[in-house]
Amino acid sequence: MAQMNFDASTVAPQQAFKVLPAGVYSVVATESEVKPTKNNTGQVAQFTMQVVEGEHTGRKIFARFNIANQNPEAERIGQSQFSAFCHAAGVLQVNDTAQLHGRPVRAKVKIRKDPSGQYEDSNEVSGFETGATGPAAPAIQSPVAAPAAAATAPWKRAAA
């Protein structure tokens, strides 16, 4: 037996995870990272987005963009999806994913079912629109200049 001094009445219990219903939500990106693909042959840009309007305010969704891939078609699709996000956010020259944080966009969200039946349903962002009106961080007025040593976009650089 392990001794503890924990009072569960002082901590809100964790709620069971439920996917958002399919639809269009006003969201802002709050976190992002560019990381290697599972097989280390490409890169994905991954964004955490938070719903900023409606009954699901505060809920998080995740968007992944396959921005560099050895398969040219996968790369074209991923870059096209990322471009849609950039256009919706009003940032067309991206040197740092943080430039897209806090900018309200409308994300089309669908429910993805696991074909194997091993995992629960999850949300997937399938597109972006302009026109979100929710609260956001102050917009970046001008693109952030890339450091001289990083003139190449992060997803085009060789993995370290």
Side-chain angles (χ1 to χ4, degrees):
M1 176 166 66
Q3 296 293 316
M4 289 188 78
N5 188 18
F6 178 74
D7 181 357
S9 68
T10 64
V11 179
Q14 180 178 354
Q15 300 297 312
F17 172 78
K18 293 181 183 175
V19 295
L20 290 173
V24 178
Y25 295 90
S26 294
V27 301
V28 295
T30 58
E31 299 174 36
S32 60
E33 65 179 319
V34 175
K35 59 186 188 178
T37 56
K38 287 181 184 178
N39 62 5
N40 287 317
T41 62
Q43 290 184 312
V44 294
Q46 184 168 307
F47 288 81
T48 300
M49 299 181 175
Q50 187 167 7
V51 177
V52 294
E53 287 184 341
E55 72 176 283
H56 299 290
T57 297
R59 291 284 306 272
K60 292 182 180 182
I61 58 173
F62 304 93
R64 291 175 48 95
F65 306 100
N66 195 358
I67 52 178
N69 195 287
Q70 63 186 21
N71 178 326
E73 183 63 8
E75 182 173 288
R76 184 196 65 75
I77 291 168
Q79 288 183 2
S80 176
Q81 292 167 334
F82 187 57
S83 178
F85 175 41
C86 293
H87 276 84
V91 179
L92 302 184
Q93 297 291 321
V94 180
N95 297 311
D96 187 320
T97 56
Q99 290 174 258
L100 297 162
H101 293 189
R103 294 181 166 270
V105 299
R106 294 179 51 79
K108 184 175 182 182
V109 176
K110 64 182 183 179
I111 297 173
R112 186 182 60 159
K113 302 217 178 267
D114 175 33
S116 71
Q118 294 181 45
Y119 302 101
E120 293 185 24
D121 294 349
S122 62
N123 287 123
E124 182 175 306
V125 177
S126 63
F128 293 93
E129 307 170 353
T130 57
T133 59
I140 298 170
Q141 296 302 316
S142 61
V144 176
T152 304
W155 56 86
K156 297 239 180 201
R157 291 185 217 140

